[in-house]
């Protein structure tokens, strides 16, 4: 067995950013030795880094590197030591592998479990992110089990778990915690309404919504919290790394910099620094199966070292999300988060939750789902807000509820079966082997 280190820090055990740096420096040598066991890094350089100064001069590991190393090019332990194998696939469709030992899983579960509302033995925890190949469902599952909570493994890419069933389970089981995309929790609210419930009144057991996997603007977070009358606890991470940041009681997203060294890379200048705006680069400190050195996540972020009332002494990160670089505005660059902030800043009674936008060179088209009584004010207020913020020609089109998120999706029931050979005279035997 290889062991990278079992003395993993816990929040509250250090005070100040100097102390945080000392923690990183203490863990770095073992992490760098682990990387030296990886064929990928051995091939890459004769002299692998042994301390922070040398690490800083090591080339970045790119997403392309990970794809090229498919499936086991980064494996630094014996294959028998692996506990799980995962994949994510980017827009190119080429798979990116990641794999973890049982030891890695302790670090992964601990990081995910860092939720300021806590995860308790009496919690009923609905895990509503994918289990197939990706890590996200398993992360929440492992963290919940570690804390003694009851897991309701719901997945979100399974025909067995349509929205109507999510709503039924949340109510009947008194679900206290959920883990999902923020968008999914919005759709549950719509599904609850379609089932005749009020999301803010008929789910009193719900203690918090854990969300991640998408950038989340403040306005959308506040709307979600109001819709479910529960705090929304955000999380940021990737399948290749697990959880990298979580939100504190004061609403700031903090990087888990006691478990990884973070840098910010500016692709225009080619320089990296500890903070500022650019792409997030990570060197995890407690990895056995698949060590990564300066892995560029290519997510646009802003990192800041500041004091926060939470006293965690961890840098604050803002994940900026997709930009529309070709759209010429008279104001700031057009981002998905920026637009989302404006959509969700419309008065809640307008009920606008679902939208999409298409950016041209100097023109922006937005569609919003809105019911008749609120159509006129919603369109004019959003047109005004977007024009004022971005100084761009904008066309806001109202569409009836059910257009962007079909009503059938909210009310459909599960239609899954096992393979079957024998059918009755009136039954559809074309479904014999279509067991989904
Ligand atoms: Zn904080």
């Amino acid at each position: 067995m290889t062991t990278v280190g079992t003395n993993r820090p816990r929040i509250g055990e250090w005070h100040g950013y100097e102390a945080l740096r000392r923690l990183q420096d203490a863990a770095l040598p073992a992490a760098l030795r682990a990387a030296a066991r990886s064929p990928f890094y051995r091939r890459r350089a004769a002299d692998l880094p042994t301390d922070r100064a040398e690490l800083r001069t090591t080339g970045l590991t790119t997403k392309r590197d990970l794809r090229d190393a498919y499936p086991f090019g980064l494996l630094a332990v014996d294959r028998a030591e692996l506990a799980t194998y995962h994949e994510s696939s980017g827009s190119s469709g080429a798979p990116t592998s990641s794999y973890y030992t049982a030891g890695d899983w302790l670090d992964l579960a601990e990081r995910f479990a860092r939720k300021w509302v806590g995860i308790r033995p009496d919690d009923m925890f609905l895990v509503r992110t994918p289990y197939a190949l990706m890590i996200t469902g398993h992360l929440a599952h492992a963290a919940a089990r570690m804390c003694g909570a009851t897991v309701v493994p719901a997945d979100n890419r399974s025909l067995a778990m349509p929205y109507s069933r999510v709503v039924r389970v949340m109510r009947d089981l008194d679900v206290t915690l959920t883990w999902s995309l923020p968008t999914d929790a919005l759709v549950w609210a719509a599904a609850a309404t379609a089932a005749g419930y009020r999301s803010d009144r008929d789910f009193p057991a719900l203690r918090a919504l854990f969300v991640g996997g998408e950038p989340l603007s403040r306005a959308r977070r506040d709307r979600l919290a109001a819709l479910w009358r529960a705090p929304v606890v955000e999380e940021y991470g990737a399948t290749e790394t697990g959880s990298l940041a979580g939100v504190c009681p004061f609403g700031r997203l903090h990087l888990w910099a006691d478990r990884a060294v973070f840098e910010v890379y500016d692709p225009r200048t080619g320089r990296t620094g500890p903070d500022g705006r650019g792409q997030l680069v990570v060197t995890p400190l407690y990895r056995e199966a698949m060590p990564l050195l300066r892995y560029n996540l290519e997510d646009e972020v802003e990192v800041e070292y500041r004091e926060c009332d939470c006293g965690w002494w961890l840098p604050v990160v803002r994940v900026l999300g997709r930009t529309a670089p070709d759209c010429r505005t008279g104001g700031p660059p057009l981002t998905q988060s920026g637009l989302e902030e404006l959509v969700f800043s419309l008065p809640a009674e307008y009920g606008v939750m679902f939208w999409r936008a298409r950016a041209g060179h100097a023109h922006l088209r937005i569609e919003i789902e809105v019911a008749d009584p609120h159509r006129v004010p919603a369109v004019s207020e959003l047109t005004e807000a977007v024009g004022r913020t971005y100084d761009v020609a904008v066309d806001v089109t109202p569409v009836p509820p059910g257009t962007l998120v079909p009503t059938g999706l909210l009310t459909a029931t599960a239609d899954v079966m096992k393979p079957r050979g024998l059918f009755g005279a009136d039954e559809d035997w074309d479904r014999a082997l279509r067991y989904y």
Side-chain angles (χ1 to χ4, degrees):
M1 280 292 281
T2 43
T3 309
V4 167
T6 45
N7 296 320
R8 293 178 298 274
R10 284 162 204 280
I11 288 174
E13 286 181 351
W14 68 94
H15 185 81
Y17 284 121
E18 261 315 302
L20 175 66
R21 199 183 156 84
R22 283 197 296 276
L23 281 181
Q24 293 179 340
D25 285 335
L28 253 176
L32 299 176
R33 280 197 301 276
R37 289 191 282 269
S38 148
F40 171 81
Y41 287 111
R42 270 204 313 270
R43 224 183 3 256
R44 193 166 210 199
D47 299 316
L48 282 160
T50 55
D51 61 18
R52 188 191 289 267
E54 289 176 14
L55 177 66
R56 212 175 290 135
T57 62
T58 306
L60 301 184
T61 304
T62 63
K63 294 205 164 206
R64 170 82 195 268
D65 290 332
L66 262 54
R67 285 198 295 271
D68 290 348
Y70 167 84
F72 287 118
L74 285 137
L75 183 64
V77 298
D78 193 278
R79 220 184 269 194
E81 287 185 42
L82 288 185
T84 59
Y85 169 90
H86 304 274
E87 279 181 13
S88 57
S89 51
S91 43
S92 68
T96 298
S97 307
S98 46
Y99 19 88
Y100 301 96
T101 63
D104 287 329
W105 267 103
L106 295 175
D107 170 45
L108 287 169
E110 284 169 2
R111 278 185 277 143
F112 186 92
R114 288 178 162 180
K115 300 287 185 286
W116 66 266
V117 299
I119 302 175
R120 307 187 306 229
D122 61 345
D123 275 318
M124 188 64 76
F125 190 156
L126 181 84
V127 177
R128 173 64 176 168
T129 59
Y131 277 69
L133 283 177
M134 296 175 75
I135 200 175
T136 162
H138 302 272
L139 264 186
H141 196 113
R145 292 292 308 276
M146 184 181 75
C147 299
T150 306
V151 175
V152 185
D155 209 309
N156 80 333
R157 296 193 188 161
S158 163
L159 294 172
M161 203 67 198
Y163 286 103
S164 63
R165 201 167 190 182
V166 172
V167 170
R168 195 257 296 156
V169 162
M170 285 178 72
R171 254 183 74 79
D172 290 357
L173 308 188
D174 296 325
V175 164
T176 58
L177 298 173
T178 63
W179 164 235
S180 70
L181 294 165
T183 296
D184 214 45
L186 280 177
V187 180
W188 308 337
T193 306
Y197 300 120
R198 274 186 54 174
S199 57
D200 62 347
R201 192 192 59 198
D202 296 329
F203 300 82
L206 193 64
R207 224 160 55 74
L209 299 141
F210 299 162
V211 298
E214 287 178 290
L216 181 63
S217 66
R218 178 174 292 262
R220 186 157 73 127
R221 186 188 70 199
D222 292 349
R223 178 69 61 80
L224 258 181
L227 276 168
W228 288 103
R229 226 163 74 183
V232 172
V233 182
E234 197 187 351
E235 153 98 19
Y236 164 74
T239 286
E240 311 89 81
T241 59
S243 169
L244 293 173
V247 84
C248 78
F250 296 89
R252 293 198 185 93
L253 196 59
H254 291 275
L255 289 168
W256 305 136
D258 60 318
R259 300 291 179 102
V261 174
F262 292 96
E263 298 170 88
V264 180
Y265 170 67
D266 183 342
R268 284 163 309 174
T269 63
R271 277 203 288 269
T272 51
D275 51 14
R277 186 170 174 152
Q279 298 178 342
L280 190 65
V281 170
V282 60
T283 302
L285 289 169
Y286 296 91
R287 289 280 284 251
E288 295 176 347
M290 185 180 158
L292 291 170
L293 301 180
R294 306 189 87 202
Y295 173 51
N296 184 5
L297 287 145
E298 293 171 29
D299 279 341
E300 185 83 1
V301 298
E302 213 164 50
V303 174
E304 197 185 354
Y305 284 73
R306 58 187 284 182
E307 270 193 70
C308 180
D309 289 336
C310 64
W312 285 3
W313 292 104
L314 289 166
V316 173
V317 63
R318 244 169 27 99
V319 184
L320 300 165
R322 191 175 282 277
T323 53
D326 297 336
C327 187
R328 274 195 297 273
T329 73
L334 187 70
T335 63
Q336 174 168 319
S337 306
L339 275 182
E340 178 185 289
E341 180 74 26
L342 298 177
V343 171
F344 283 89
S345 295
L346 290 170
E349 63 265 28
Y350 295 175
V352 178
M353 297 200 294
F354 305 119
W355 64 283
R356 64 181 176 188
R358 188 169 257 174
H361 282 303
H363 180 263
L364 182 64
R365 182 176 162 208
I366 306 176
E367 283 185 353
I368 54 171
E369 264 195 12
V370 59
D372 253 349
H374 303 295
R375 194 158 35 145
V376 173
V379 167
S380 76
E381 285 170 40
L382 187 59
T383 305
E384 197 275 327
V386 173
R388 175 163 34 84
T389 308
Y390 290 106
D391 189 17
V392 65
V394 59
D395 168 29
V396 178
T397 308
V399 297
T403 309
L404 300 180
V405 176
T407 310
L409 188 77
L410 304 177
T411 54
T413 50
D415 185 22
V416 285
M417 56 184 276
K418 288 183 178 175
R420 187 172 150 190
L422 183 61
F423 287 78
D426 304 329
E427 289 181 307
D428 175 13
W429 73 342
D430 284 344
R431 295 203 52 188
L433 291 163
R434 276 190 269 148
Y435 55 98
Y436 49 81

